[in-house]
Amino acid sequence: MKKRVKKTYAIHHWLGLVAGLFLLISSITGSVLVFHHDIDHAQFKHLSALTAPASAIKIDNSFERIRQENPESDIRMPELPENPNQALKYEIRKGSSRKWLFVHPETGQTLATVDRADKRLVHVLLDLHYNLLSGTPGKIIVLLGGLSLIVLTITGFLLYRKSIVKVLSFRQLVSFKSRRSFFSSLHRVVGVWSLVFNLFISITGTWVAYTIVEYALSPAATAVADVQPATVSVDEAIRQVRANHPEFEVNYLRFAGGTLSVLGRHYQDPSYYGRTYSNIQVDLSTGEIKNVNMLRDQPWYKRLLTAFKPLHFGDYAGIWVKLLYCFFGIMPGILAVSGFIVWRLRKNKPAFKAPRKKVNKLYTSQA
């Protein structure tokens, strides 16, 4: 084995052992989180359903009351009702805690409350995926783990590049001769088939992890939100946005200070831009539009980096794309487990014993 190949193998081998547990956790949580919207909707559908359809959405009937009841909180609407039978949903953020309020879209009456929305399944999985339930130190570890997967994918390609054509043409399959040959060949086959996806998911995930670490270490991360009362109609502000920008789809509202941020997407944008990466800001004291930030108007590299998050989670398309992400998302976990087992079997391999020398019978009898 050449010296360069030995170094590549050593890097792949030891880095895989160090980062294996992280890859397993990220793989399992990531495969589930592809369906995070679907899981949330299924879990809380009964709280969001109205007994009778609402004739209109009137945010003004609930916003000021909720603002007064939740001082020094970050108030958001992560989604707007998709049909008349669905309630408005407020998300109240204070520090790391999350509270959901389901409100009648017409009367403003609170229908249901989820006091610890940060303890729901999706949020726990997100915390595990983003920071290993360890806050800022965990976010840094996740960033290093993403970099590790990039290196592992590249070194794996260098080590198995001669097997790529054989594996893809089904001339090299999983071997069942022994436990070690099974896991070794499984590692090779899965690694080849998931090579492109692993590189793609590791690059996009590492960028997302970097932005999270950058925000966590910035002063803005610890700033306390202070939502000011709206002196103009919130409903009228949204109507103005839609009238001035009829091509803009409103998907998310955030109230910060005296500003309403209307997040959404341009109807003609590609789906992989995501649903909330363009925004229009409205001054709630005057009703004037202060700023228009359309992702499509940004330089190409900013559009690319912004699209990394929806591309990473696969929530920009329908069920078949999500299933594809889920299937390939489990591959890093399989590689982590199979690689560890190969290492264990190699470590436990019986020590080499020299063959016993035959004793010359003639010499023995003479002795």
Side-chain angles (χ1 to χ4, degrees):
M1 188 181 290
K2 295 181 179 179
K3 189 175 182 181
R4 186 174 59 183
V5 175
K6 286 184 177 180
K7 287 184 177 180
T8 304
Y9 176 78
I11 293 171
H12 188 82
H13 173 79
W14 291 110
L15 190 59
L17 290 175
V18 171
L21 182 59
F22 160 78
L23 294 178
L24 180 60
I25 293 173
S26 296
S27 177
I28 295 173
T29 56
S31 294
V32 176
L33 286 170
V34 172
F35 305 100
H36 63 284
H37 286 306
D38 309 270
I39 294 171
D40 270 345
H41 288 164
Q43 185 177 359
F44 299 101
K45 184 178 180 180
H46 65 291
L47 300 181
S48 179
L50 302 179
T51 55
S55 59
I57 297 176
K58 298 179 180 179
I59 298 174
D60 291 331
N61 289 345
S62 56
F63 169 69
E64 184 57 27
R65 173 178 60 82
I66 290 173
R67 187 195 70 81
Q68 292 179 4
E69 292 173 353
N70 299 277
E72 297 184 346
S73 297
D74 186 351
I75 301 176
R76 307 183 181 203
M77 283 187 181
E79 58 188 32
L80 295 178
E82 297 178 355
N83 58 70
N85 296 306
Q86 189 176 350
L88 281 175
K89 182 171 74 177
Y90 283 90
E91 181 172 88
I92 313 299
R93 298 187 178 190
K94 196 166 187 178
S96 60
S97 69
R98 303 284 187 273
K99 179 170 69 173
W100 280 1
L101 300 174
F102 292 94
V103 175
H104 195 285
E106 190 171 2
T107 67
Q109 177 189 1
T110 299
L111 304 175
T113 302
V114 180
D115 288 317
R116 294 306 304 268
D118 53 300
K119 299 300 183 182
R120 72 190 195 278
L121 174 61
V122 165
H123 196 273
V124 172
L125 290 176
L126 280 170
D127 267 353
L128 189 58
H129 193 78
Y130 278 150
N131 56 46
L132 303 176
L133 304 178
S134 304
T136 300
K139 293 171 184 176
I140 296 173
I141 293 174
V142 169
L143 174 59
L144 295 176
L147 293 170
S148 299
L149 183 54
I150 294 175
V151 176
L152 285 168
T153 304
I154 294 173
T155 54
F157 167 75
L158 294 175
L159 290 171
Y160 298 118
R161 64 187 186 277
K162 294 181 179 178
S163 301
I164 290 177
V165 175
K166 292 181 180 179
V167 171
L168 296 181
S169 60
F170 299 99
R171 285 183 289 141
Q172 193 170 63
L173 303 174
V174 176
S175 171
F176 293 90
K177 292 181 180 179
S178 66
R179 281 196 304 164
R180 190 173 185 280
S181 64
F182 170 77
F183 286 107
S184 179
S185 59
L186 177 68
H187 191 81
R188 179 186 293 106
V189 170
V190 171
V192 168
W193 276 106
S194 62
L195 180 67
V196 175
F197 182 83
N198 286 346
L199 188 60
F200 164 77
I201 212 71
S202 61
I203 292 174
T204 55
T206 299
W207 173 253
V208 173
Y210 168 76
T211 60
I212 291 172
V213 170
E214 184 182 37
Y215 177 77
L217 298 177
S218 69
T222 57
V224 178
D226 185 16
V227 180
Q228 301 298 318
T231 56
V232 299
S233 167
V234 174
D235 295 314
E236 183 58 37
I238 296 173
R239 278 194 291 269
Q240 182 182 349
V241 167
R242 286 173 168 157
N244 293 351
H245 302 275
E247 73 288 353
F248 186 74
E249 178 184 18
V250 178
N251 293 319
Y252 192 113
L253 303 178
R254 181 184 181 187
F255 303 90
T259 300
L260 167 64
S261 295
V262 183
L263 287 70
R265 60 180 293 272
H266 195 284
Y267 284 115
Q268 295 181 358
D269 282 345
S271 60
Y272 54 78
Y273 277 5
R275 301 178 71 250
T276 60
Y277 290 97
S278 294
N279 69 83
I280 299 172
Q281 297 180 344
V282 182
D283 190 328
L284 287 179
S285 62
T286 64
E288 295 180 357
I289 294 178
K290 299 196 302 184
N291 210 347
V292 177
N293 300 303
M294 294 293 181
L295 183 57
R296 63 185 326 191
D297 298 329
Q298 299 297 319
W300 69 268
Y301 63 92
K302 288 189 177 180
R303 297 199 306 271
L304 176 64
L305 294 176
T306 303
F308 272 6
K309 186 172 182 179
L311 284 172
H312 181 74
F313 279 100
D315 56 0
Y316 57 90
I319 186 63
W320 292 110
V321 171
K322 291 181 180 181
L323 289 172
L324 195 65
Y325 267 73
C326 181
F327 175 75
F328 280 102
I330 205 68
M331 297 301 177
I334 295 175
L335 291 171
V337 172
S338 59
F340 176 76
I341 293 176
V342 169
W343 172 75
R344 286 287 297 174
L345 293 175
R346 178 170 181 158
K347 185 178 180 181
N348 296 333
K349 192 175 180 179
F352 174 77
K353 293 182 179 181
R356 296 179 62 183
K357 294 182 178 179
K358 293 183 179 180
V359 180
N360 190 308
K361 291 183 178 180
L362 179 62
Y363 176 80
T364 303
S365 61
Q366 289 176 351

